[in-house]
Amino acid sequence: MQTVKMVVTGPFNAGKTAFIRSVSEIDVVATERKISSEAEKVKETTTVAMDFGRITVDDDLVLYLFGTPGQKRFDFMWEILSEGMLGFIVMVDSTRPETFREARGILQTFRAYAPTPYVVAANKQDMPDAWDLEDMRVALRLDPKVKFMPCVAQKRDSVKTVLLELLYSILAEMEEGQS
Amino acid sequence: MALKGNLRDFTITQLLNLINMAQKSGLLVIEGPGETAKITFRQGKLAYAQLGQDDGSLASILHTTRKISQSQYQLLRQRTSQMSDKELGLLLINAGYLSQDDILSSLQVHFTEIVRRLFTWVEGFFKFEQDIYPPDGKITVRVDLENLIIEGSRQLREWEQLQEEIPSLDMAMKFTERPGTNLRSVNLSVEEWRVVSYVSPKNSIRMIARAAKMNDLEIRRVIYSLLQAGLVELVRAEGTPVAQPGRQFPTQNKDEQKSLVNKLIGRIRSL
Ligand SMILES: Nc1nc2c(ncn2[C@@H]2O[C@H](COP(=O)(O)OP(=O)(O)OP(=O)(O)O)[C@@H](O)[C@H]2O)c(=O)[nH]1
Ligand SMILES: [Mg+2]
């Protein structure tokens, strides 16, 4: 059995678990736990170790999606998770500009240490107070070349689009490398 | 119970707040990164402070706060080395050199500056000892802590934000290749120029900070403004391993890899 993996990362509460859940054929492995700190209590649970989703391609090939834990104190997991990945997706909560800073930090770190293709997803675009993509691109300091697209993590079609864009980038990079 | 712990769990600002609220008197010793600070409080107010190797003498404080010149300072050190600060203070006032206000405000500036420096310490052991005061000959002041506490929490917030933005000092910087950004056309501060001169994938941020004699907060501030201005981007420092020892593909054959990605694309489309 051959396996490949992609990583879904982003700040706390960005929608990483929801994203993986939308396309995984197994229930996302529950490494969630109740949030104790009041400051971060915008929701009941957070991902502590990692999310873990699976998409079977055929008898011989499986794609794993790993979600990084959102809270900063779980930093150490990132490195392990990003080993050998094909590419990664950075989820950003479009409704919470206070997390953009951290998203930039994550992006820079991943880009520097794991030079694989990536895309950035502006999540929660279905919410009324979501920022416009153009504004977010500036706020996130994304280069015009970086693929940046809207996303609604609970909608399978939306997640599919993001995953496909990443795969296209991976393919494009391979072709560049060959020519 | 003795008040002691680590700044990681209890910040300077929280400590000051506690001392202020409980109107505590005594000596707070903080062993920070590379130096130790000793701060004295009286009834919840800042009374005295001394940092690291500084001798903390009145003469040197008057010198660093520019109340006296270098040559005056040398002279005082030769002639009055046996005097206590209080005696020296009286001498300077009686000689009409400085007023009592000059001296007190000088000390206040110096002591609060030391406390401000502590705001950038994120690691370190602290210990508060009740009812311990500086030696008799020292001049103490009474500075309310409220303003320092407010300043401290502002800095803490800034510090947290900068850490989110620049999570690791082990990374390096390189100049962006974005067209239209011209180093000569931007107004950089002296500090920023100093950092700019070290920008290279060979130098980690940590190395630059050391060379430019900046602490973690100061270097992060400068780098943040360079990032904001789009002049530099963070890159992996040369020589540090790429976190990618795992193999990406189960096969090394390029064509098989491509067909694998195409299979993935087909599968995702069909979802
Ligand atoms: N409206 C809307 N809500 C979303 C979307 N994506 C996620 N959410 C909600 O946002 C909250 C956070 O989603 P999670 O998937 O738990 O986020 P996470 O990134 O895994 O969070 P951590 O693991 O704690 O970092 C949940 O309440 C989701 O239901 C979206 O696209 N639109
Ligand atoms: Mg999660």
Side-chain angles (χ1 to χ4, degrees):
Chain A
M1 174 62 65
Q2 301 187 325
T3 62
V4 285
K5 85 179 190 195
M6 302 205 281
V7 169
V8 184
T9 185
F12 171 69
N13 206 41
K16 302 175 290 290
T17 301
F19 183 95
I20 296 174
R21 208 166 260 160
S22 286
V23 285
S24 175
E25 62 206 16
I26 51 170
D27 280 344
V28 170
V29 174
T31 46
E32 307 247 315
R33 63 119 223 253
K34 285 229 185 302
I35 294 171
S36 48
S37 134
E38 276 307 313
E40 284 155 343
K41 216 167 177 107
V42 292
K43 58 173 187 172
E44 286 300 315
T45 64
T46 186
T47 304
V48 256
M50 57 179 181
D51 294 318
F52 179 65
R54 189 180 72 196
I55 299 172
T56 305
V57 178
D58 57 30
D59 289 348
D60 197 38
L61 179 62
V62 172
L63 167 66
Y64 286 112
L65 292 176
F66 287 92
T68 61
Q71 284 179 308
K72 274 168 260 143
R73 49 183 167 279
F74 306 115
D75 274 2
F76 68 96
M77 293 289 305
W78 293 4
E79 236 173 281
I80 304 168
L81 289 174
S82 56
E83 266 186 34
M85 64 184 174
L86 288 186
F88 62 94
I89 297 150
V90 183
M91 305 284 293
V92 188
D93 186 337
S94 311
T95 66
R96 293 185 57 207
E98 67 273 25
T99 66
F100 293 176
R101 195 179 305 112
E102 194 189 341
R104 284 197 298 256
I106 292 174
L107 195 75
Q108 305 249 25
T109 314
F110 261 80
R111 210 171 49 186
Y113 287 93
T116 57
Y118 65 93
V119 296
V120 184
N123 195 34
K124 308 197 187 178
Q125 279 292 320
D126 56 324
M127 289 178 65
D129 49 349
W131 277 43
D132 286 344
L133 259 72
E134 300 91 274
D135 296 337
M136 282 180 76
R137 193 184 267 280
V138 175
L140 292 168
R141 282 205 308 265
L142 295 178
D143 198 89
K145 284 182 299 225
V146 175
K147 277 191 189 169
F148 182 50
M149 64 214 78
C151 181
V152 179
Q154 295 112 331
K155 294 227 167 78
R156 176 176 274 200
D157 277 336
S158 175
V159 173
K160 268 171 65 177
T161 310
V162 174
L163 284 173
L164 283 171
E165 284 302 331
L166 177 58
L167 284 164
Y168 297 151
S169 289
I170 292 167
L171 202 59
E173 204 202 57
M174 295 171 92
E175 270 157 12
E176 241 173 61
Q178 266 184 351
S179 59
Chain B
M1 208 187 71
L3 200 55
K4 58 181 179 185
N6 196 308
L7 293 181
R8 240 175 311 155
D9 311 312
F10 208 78
T11 63
I12 300 280
T13 317
Q14 286 172 313
L15 274 172
L16 292 183
N17 198 31
L18 180 74
I19 290 166
N20 181 44
M21 299 302 261
Q23 305 223 333
K24 285 187 174 294
S25 300
L27 172 70
L28 177 66
V29 181
I30 303 175
E31 289 168 35
E35 44 188 7
T36 298
K38 295 182 177 147
I39 323 279
T40 313
F41 302 89
R42 235 185 253 274
Q43 288 167 324
K45 299 201 191 311
L46 173 63
Y48 189 81
Q50 190 265 331
L51 180 65
Q53 300 302 314
D54 296 351
D55 69 356
S57 69
L58 179 60
S60 75
I61 293 172
L62 291 172
H63 179 228
T64 46
T65 52
R66 298 176 190 207
K67 287 282 197 282
I68 58 175
S69 67
Q70 175 71 22
S71 54
Q72 288 171 321
Y73 172 54
Q74 294 299 348
L75 208 67
L76 285 181
R77 276 196 38 175
Q78 285 163 18
R79 305 257 173 96
T80 64
S81 61
Q82 303 302 315
M83 275 185 199
S84 75
D85 284 358
K86 277 185 184 159
E87 289 165 335
L88 177 62
L90 272 177
L91 182 84
L92 292 171
I93 293 167
N94 289 336
Y97 237 41
L98 294 171
S99 70
Q100 181 170 347
D101 263 3
D102 286 335
I103 293 175
L104 286 180
S105 67
S106 216
L107 290 173
Q108 284 186 4
V109 167
H110 181 71
F111 297 158
T112 46
E113 203 45 54
I114 291 178
V115 176
R116 280 202 191 98
R117 287 274 291 281
L118 301 182
F119 292 148
T120 64
W121 295 9
V122 278
E123 287 265 342
F125 287 101
F126 65 80
K127 190 171 66 181
F128 185 83
E129 293 181 78
Q130 206 90 14
D131 299 324
I132 294 193
Y133 300 106
D136 257 351
K138 293 287 181 191
I139 305 170
T140 58
V141 297
R142 285 172 63 85
V143 180
D144 284 336
L145 293 182
E146 279 89 356
N147 283 327
L148 277 168
I149 291 168
I150 291 171
E151 219 177 288
S153 26
R154 248 184 245 136
Q155 273 216 16
L156 186 69
R157 224 172 306 139
E158 183 198 6
W159 168 253
E160 286 171 352
Q161 295 178 351
L162 285 171
Q163 263 193 317
E164 285 176 354
E165 183 88 32
I166 305 159
S168 162
L169 295 185
D170 294 320
M171 301 198 23
M173 288 178 288
K174 75 175 180 72
F175 291 109
T176 46
E177 286 146 20
R178 214 172 298 169
T181 42
N182 183 350
L183 205 52
R184 247 161 292 176
S185 65
V186 294
N187 290 318
L188 295 180
S189 70
V190 177
E191 275 188 326
E192 285 157 355
W193 271 117
R194 207 144 37 108
V195 170
V196 160
S197 65
Y198 291 110
V199 168
S200 151
K202 289 197 179 66
N203 299 331
S204 72
I205 297 175
R206 207 181 293 284
M207 286 157 63
I208 298 176
R210 221 175 293 139
K213 296 204 170 46
M214 292 182 184
N215 66 32
D216 285 10
L217 180 66
E218 290 160 346
I219 190 78
R220 278 189 160 92
R221 260 194 205 135
V222 170
I223 291 177
Y224 177 69
S225 63
L226 298 177
L227 284 170
Q228 264 318 73
L231 292 177
V232 300
E233 57 186 305
L234 297 181
V235 294
R236 187 173 55 84
E238 257 173 38
T240 57
V242 187
Q244 205 191 5
R247 62 194 168 80
Q248 287 178 284
F249 287 100
T251 161
Q252 290 314 307
N253 180 304
K254 293 284 170 204
D255 287 327
E256 282 173 29
Q257 290 182 355
K258 240 195 265 178
S259 104
L260 189 150
V261 174
N262 276 316
K263 274 199 254 176
L264 290 172
I265 291 174
R267 177 72 181 100
I268 303 279
R269 277 195 188 133
S270 75
L271 280 177

